Amino acid sequence: MGKKWIGALTILAVAALLIPSTNLFEPREYESDRAPQSSSFSAKREHTLKLAAVQEDMNATAMLCISECSKDFQQLMSASDGSRAKADAQLKQMMHEHMHMSYVSWVSGTRSVDRGSIPKTGKNEAEAYVATAKAQVGKGAKFESSAFTALDGSRYMVLGVPDSRHAGIGVIGVIKQDIVKSVEKHQMRNLRLVPYPAEGNYKIESVKPNSTIDTTVRTGEENGNASHYHVRDVVVHFAKPMSEAEMKQVKQDIHAESVKQIGDTFVFRSKNMETEQLIPYFKQKWQTEYTEPHYLYLTNDEEDSIVPNDALYSEYQWNLPSIETEKGWNISKGDEQIVVAVLDTGVQSNHPDLKNKITEGINLIDEEQEPNDDVGHGTHVSGIIGATVNNGEGVAGLSWYNKIMPIKVLDSSGAGSTYSVAQGIIWAVDHGAKVINMSLGNYAQADFLHDAIKYAYERDVVMIAASGNDNTERPGYPAAYPEVFAVAATDSNKEKASFSNYGDYIDVAAPGDSIASTYHGSQYAALSGTSMASPHVAALAGLIRSVNPELSNVEVMDIMRKSAVDLGAEGKDIYFGYGEIDVDKALQAASTFGGTLQTFPEHVKRRLERIASKYE
């Protein structure tokens, strides 16, 4: 009896202390009715800037590759300690973990241990570079060759690293750099420099946004005013449950090839009827809440500071110090109980920098398979959020401890449907995600997807999405839905990234220009895009919920807006929203946040329920 009285008195005391002193809540502003337009520079100038961004990402990725391999070679020499037998064992393990190392030679005077093979080239460039590298290493000098293409079509370079402690010892390697070509191909699509997806793929059509009016996308620039949908699909939300007989009739009428369902919403694919025929069929014959095309979504990168020892951090990760992450880590490094879901191309779960950060996920492209990444985009996004910090390996993520939930909703081309994205959102919510990152989107509103977003929002999940890479004011979805926190991209000069979309719907901006992160194949790459900006904000939301788990999704978003550093025109603007995120300020605000008048009742209810549960 006495214990219950103590509990009751404690509850009353806490309730008295929870009354907020200020009203920090401000509703999100919605986009205006102005016609969408592009930023002031011309399409030609935009094209030139995007090409420069691609080249910068390629150069940075090549340097990341060289830096990481140099570190691995140094570790090999340290572990072998001049012993040929130890060198052989270490070399075998290193090459097993790093498949891009085609040939590696550990040399010590006249002795050597060689593994792999030197690729064939037309003019024997590889052999000549290896010979030069061995000569340079013998003199105690480092060697880096120019990139060259072998007869197998792959890009290579030769690297020689001397042992700084022992003269005459060193490691020479022939490094395959196809990752640079992969980054080029990925970024040409990601920054919409080429039509993406190409006409004819996925049995899709390019259309004017929120319509089925056909338009042909011939250039990357035209992606900014087009949406894409599966040409024989239709999404239908029936006004009332369908009986088995009615569903059988539908399947017969449309010659259904497949039917997928989430709740009362169905995705029908016909064997021979196109979307323009399917939509009027359902509208005229059946009672529906909405009937729409099945749109396609695409990939869219003053306390003492804590400076991590990750090998590539100081030289390449300009983005984290720029948003005061190092100071913010004094307040929170995250909490593994707060899970951030990544809806993307999957994640390489055994990447050396991610293998301890991944929790249960799902592959919604092929549910019989694991959510492995066959593109690199999802692994890159995940690394920005949670690459292991202070492990001397590769890069550092924003969060030290938050877990990442990989949900594969995009296929090997980097594209996926509204069905897979909606399904991914619901799965993430039902499996405990507190934050969802969506570095994907298109220019069509889909009621089907919006229903899933509302489902997550009503269950207190913070949803973050990239605005898009077409330098257009046209609202991109899911970012422009009012329940979703929309992110634009900045560069290292705190200016709008040339490719970043903008508009009244933007909440904040975050670094998105040449961001170094993890990449599939256990490698590292630099990518640019609002796809890279969005996970910075998702990670911040995870840190906020870690330092103060009682905050609602509305309060978390409000804190990120209010703590942002104003950029551009004074106050909220179309390019940066409320400004660029500031990790330190946001976590300070979260740690002292007492609630607002609007959210006070729910805030108190959650707090009292926690306290009362201790005395049951």
Side-chain angles (χ1 to χ4, degrees), residues 13 47 65 97 129 132 140 288 324 331 346 438 448 462 486 513 573 578:
H47 185 80
C65 179
E97 294 176 351
Y129 281 137
T132 302
T288 64
E324 302 293 0
I331 302 171
M438 296 177 284
F448 179 38
V462 179
D513 185 46
D573 62 59
Y578 288 88

Side-chain angles (χ1 to χ4, degrees), residues 164-214:
S164 58
R165 302 170 304 161
H166 304 99
I169 295 179
V171 177
I172 293 89
V174 181
I175 313 300
K176 182 184 286 189
Q177 289 192 320
D178 281 351
I179 186 174
V180 178
K181 298 168 69 175
S182 175
V183 165
E184 178 184 30
K185 181 180 179 181
H186 181 279
Q187 289 302 83
M188 291 293 286
R189 297 186 308 180
N190 192 41
L191 298 183
R192 311 299 187 249
L193 282 161
V194 295
Y196 174 57
E199 295 284 349
N201 289 343
Y202 292 91
K203 300 177 181 176
I204 61 160
E205 279 294 340
S206 299
V207 293
K208 294 181 179 180
N210 294 307
S211 74
T212 56
I213 301 174
D214 184 67

Side-chain angles (χ1 to χ4, degrees), residues 218-487:
R218 297 182 180 87
T219 68
E221 173 69 17
E222 291 174 348
N223 275 301
N225 197 36
S227 295
H228 308 82
Y229 69 92
H230 293 256
V231 74
R232 289 185 288 106
D233 284 12
V234 65
V235 177
V236 182
H237 183 101
F238 292 103
K240 60 182 182 64
M242 297 283 284
S243 66
E244 289 186 17
E246 289 173 326
M247 187 57 65
K248 183 179 180 180
Q249 182 65 49
V250 168
K251 292 177 181 179
Q252 290 177 348
D253 289 349
I254 69 170
H255 304 103
E257 180 179 297
S258 65
V259 180
K260 296 180 180 180
Q261 179 182 4
I262 295 181
D264 295 327
T265 303
F266 295 80
V267 179
F268 294 97
R269 174 166 293 177
S270 170
K271 294 178 181 178
N272 52 16
M273 292 176 66
E274 296 195 354
T275 304
E276 289 184 337
Q277 299 169 291
L278 292 169
I279 289 177
Y281 161 78
F282 281 101
K283 286 184 174 179
Q284 293 168 12
K285 189 160 184 176
W286 306 97
Q287 288 184 314
T288 64
E289 294 287 344
Y290 55 79
T291 305
E292 62 189 16
H294 190 195
Y295 292 111
L296 195 68
Y297 278 30
L298 320 171
T299 60
N300 278 347
D301 306 250
E302 212 64 50
E303 295 173 334
D304 291 339
S305 298
I306 297 175
V307 181
N309 65 10
D310 300 80
L312 304 174
Y313 180 80
S314 296
E315 187 171 358
Y316 296 103
Q317 289 190 265
W318 65 269
N319 47 313
L320 299 196
S322 177
I323 55 175
E324 302 293 0
T325 307
E326 295 170 353
K327 292 180 180 178
W329 282 334
N330 285 292
I331 302 171
S332 176
K333 296 184 179 72
D335 183 338
E336 63 180 17
Q337 300 301 316
I338 305 297
V339 176
V340 180
V342 175
L343 272 62
D344 217 290
T345 59
V347 178
Q348 183 194 337
S349 60
N350 65 346
H351 192 290
D353 242 354
L354 289 170
K355 58 186 178 183
N356 296 318
K357 300 297 292 292
I358 307 301
T359 188
E360 179 192 7
I362 189 171
N363 184 336
L364 294 171
I365 301 300
D366 182 352
E367 294 191 33
E368 295 184 359
Q369 302 296 321
E370 294 297 314
N372 295 321
D373 187 3
D374 44 15
V375 178
H377 190 269
T379 301
H380 197 274
V381 166
S382 296
I384 294 170
I385 295 170
T388 306
V389 185
N390 234 27
N391 64 341
E393 180 85 39
V395 297
L398 267 81
S399 169
W400 294 49
Y401 303 122
N402 292 101
K403 295 290 188 179
I404 295 166
M405 178 187 288
I407 301 181
K408 186 174 177 66
V409 299
L410 305 178
D411 64 17
S412 59
S413 75
S417 68
T418 51
Y419 177 84
S420 61
V421 176
Q423 195 176 9
I425 291 170
I426 293 170
W427 196 93
V429 175
D430 290 347
H431 288 78
K434 298 299 182 184
V435 179
I436 296 176
N437 183 81
M438 296 177 284
S439 290
L440 47 80
N442 210 322
Y443 297 103
Q445 297 188 62
D447 290 330
F448 179 38
L449 178 61
H450 199 181
D451 281 350
I453 285 169
K454 291 175 183 176
Y455 177 86
Y457 184 78
E458 290 165 359
R459 285 157 182 78
D460 198 38
V461 176
V462 179
M463 289 169 287
I464 315 293
S467 62
N469 302 326
D470 293 308
N471 184 41
T472 179
E473 194 177 12
R474 181 175 297 284
Y477 296 90
Y481 288 122
E483 300 87 358
V484 178
F485 200 81
V487 184

Side-chain angles (χ1 to χ4, degrees), residues 505-519:
Y505 67 98
I506 299 295
D507 287 288
V508 297
D513 185 46
S514 197
I515 305 300
S517 185
T518 48
Y519 205 67

Side-chain angles (χ1 to χ4, degrees), residues 53 55-61 64 187 301 316-319 380 490-491 499 511-517 525-529 532:
Q55 189 61 53
E56 182 182 358
D57 290 346
M58 291 170 63
N59 294 340
T61 298
L64 286 168
Q187 289 302 83
D301 306 250
Y316 296 103
Q317 289 190 265
W318 65 269
N319 47 313
H380 197 274
T490 53
D491 60 22
F499 49 79
D513 185 46
S514 197
I515 305 300
S517 185
L527 299 180
S528 297
M532 286 63 251

